[in-house]
Amino acid sequence: MKLCRFEDPRRLAHIGLLLEDDSVLDLSAEGVDRLSPLLEVDELVGQLAGLAGKNLPSYKLSEVRLLPPVERQEVWAAGVTYLRSKKARMEESDFSATAYDRVYDAPRPEIFFKALPEKVVGAGEAVGIRKDSKWNVPEPELALVINSRGQIVGYTIGNDMSSRDIEGENLLYLPQAKIYNRSCALGPFIRVGVSESEARTWTVALRISREGVVVFDGQTSVANIKRPFGELAEYLFRSQSFPHGAVLLTGTGVVPANDFTLLPKDFVRIGISGIGVLENQVEEV
Ligand code: DO4
Ligand code: MG
């Protein structure tokens, strides 16, 4: 089952349930007007199945504007969870290579703050590349949607936009390489009712187009993520509470060649087989 946030003609946010016929059922008629309390419900799938059977107002998916699937959740990200990511980081920086090598095998994962919800962009909005960076890439990542009790209740698609030259210059510049305007995209749906073993059968695909021509096309399997999802969530929630829940990106396993950089107006298309497609155009910020 897939949940979304969408905007009505008066620009008010609603919670929607995507149905088989690509219509979006408006759950607000049943008093469901926010995602976070819904994600706390123990029998979420049963509750949504009950709502799906009701005669609620619905819209065609093609006619609604989807919003990023976050309200007050902080967005965090795990790093160096795929061998491909470790290799890419070690190539980009002699200076930091040992740190990346060590963290891949260390008991404690790399987890960093990525975005406040109001800074997240949704499907169809522009993602940013920094004006002061010459080497920028998207990072297509499976994102865990976690409730306030630390339970992984769903999955969405994330783009951890990154400036590789700033990150490679010095590890201490990581927040500047990762956090800036429009540096995080999420959406369009939250897939719920799926076990980790099912999510591990999914594929993460990245396609970048420039003036109508595909300039990068690559993919990986979620199965290549080294750490169990529960371990990543458990570290995030250690000594830290998230009363509204949190979103945790799980790291990238698709990295374009080292001579590739994004340019303004490129289109970034991330597909995760069990969720859908997140597409954004690139803009300099
Ligand atoms: O420390 C570097 C960031 C790693 C990352 O974002 C990833 O592996 O996806
Ligand atoms: Mg990343």
Side-chain angles (χ1 to χ4, degrees):
M1 287 182 143
K2 293 181 188 177
L3 289 166
C4 63
R5 287 178 72 238
F6 70 96
E7 204 172 70
D8 73 8
R10 289 169 302 151
R11 309 206 66 182
L12 295 172
H14 292 239
I15 307 303
L17 178 64
L18 187 70
L19 301 180
E20 295 284 320
D21 64 354
D22 267 359
S23 60
V24 177
L25 200 64
D26 185 355
L27 302 185
S28 55
E30 283 291 311
V32 180
D33 55 6
R34 284 194 310 124
L35 264 181
S36 353
L38 187 62
L39 298 174
E40 299 293 331
V41 170
D42 281 328
E43 289 303 322
L44 179 58
V45 172
Q47 169 137 346
L48 292 177
L51 291 169
K54 296 197 171 185
N55 190 19
L56 301 179
S58 69
Y59 302 85
K60 281 189 189 157
L61 179 59
S62 54
E63 286 171 0
V64 298
R65 190 170 102 80
L66 294 171
L67 300 171
V70 275
E71 292 155 340
R72 297 183 66 186
Q73 297 93 331
E74 293 172 26
V75 183
W76 289 69
V80 199
T81 51
Y82 288 84
L83 209 49
R84 178 70 188 100
S85 176
K86 176 177 105 154
K87 183 172 175 287
R89 315 283 160 192
M90 291 179 74
E91 284 167 5
E92 96 198 348
S93 170
D94 290 342
F95 186 81
S96 314
T98 322
Y100 293 123
D101 197 20
R102 283 194 192 180
V103 81
Y104 183 74
D105 288 313
R108 184 185 289 273
E110 177 194 12
I111 296 182
F112 56 91
F113 178 73
K114 179 65 188 175
L116 290 170
E118 59 268 31
K119 292 195 162 190
V120 171
V121 302
E125 295 185 281
V127 284
I129 51 175
R130 295 181 64 115
K131 280 198 179 74
D132 62 352
S133 165
K134 291 193 163 38
W135 187 13
N136 293 282
V137 290
E139 293 193 352
E141 306 190 10
L142 178 72
L144 310 178
V145 178
I146 308 173
N147 69 16
S148 69
R149 287 171 282 160
Q151 296 166 328
I152 299 165
V153 288
Y155 302 90
T156 189
I157 304 175
N159 183 351
D160 171 24
M161 293 288 291
S162 304
S163 299
R164 293 191 65 189
D165 48 352
I166 296 177
E167 172 185 281
E169 192 177 336
N170 189 322
L171 254 189
L172 297 178
Y173 296 155
L174 189 73
Q176 295 174 72
K178 294 287 191 179
I179 307 166
Y180 54 87
N181 289 342
R182 302 184 170 277
S183 70
C184 179
L186 290 176
F189 307 112
I190 298 178
R191 176 87 189 267
V192 298
V194 172
S195 64
E196 172 163 349
S197 52
E198 183 178 344
R200 282 189 177 270
T201 65
W202 295 344
T203 298
V204 180
L206 169 66
R207 184 185 298 163
I208 304 169
S209 312
R210 185 168 298 157
E211 293 172 356
V213 177
V214 175
V215 288
F216 177 82
D217 202 359
Q219 64 174 55
T220 189
S221 166
V222 173
N224 292 330
I225 298 177
K226 186 185 184 228
R227 296 176 189 263
F229 301 161
E231 178 182 309
L232 296 173
E234 193 269 323
Y235 269 99
L236 177 64
F237 275 67
R238 272 194 195 186
S239 300
Q240 187 170 209
S241 33
F242 295 93
H244 310 288
V247 173
L248 178 59
L249 278 67
T250 54
T252 190
V254 186
V255 186
N258 290 347
D259 59 358
F260 179 88
T261 186
L262 285 172
L263 296 178
K265 296 198 165 62
D266 284 356
F267 279 95
V268 176
R269 184 186 192 277
I270 301 173
I272 298 191
S273 46
I275 305 174
V277 170
L278 173 66
E279 191 164 27
N280 305 87
Q281 194 166 20
V282 175
E283 167 182 300
E284 198 172 66
V285 294

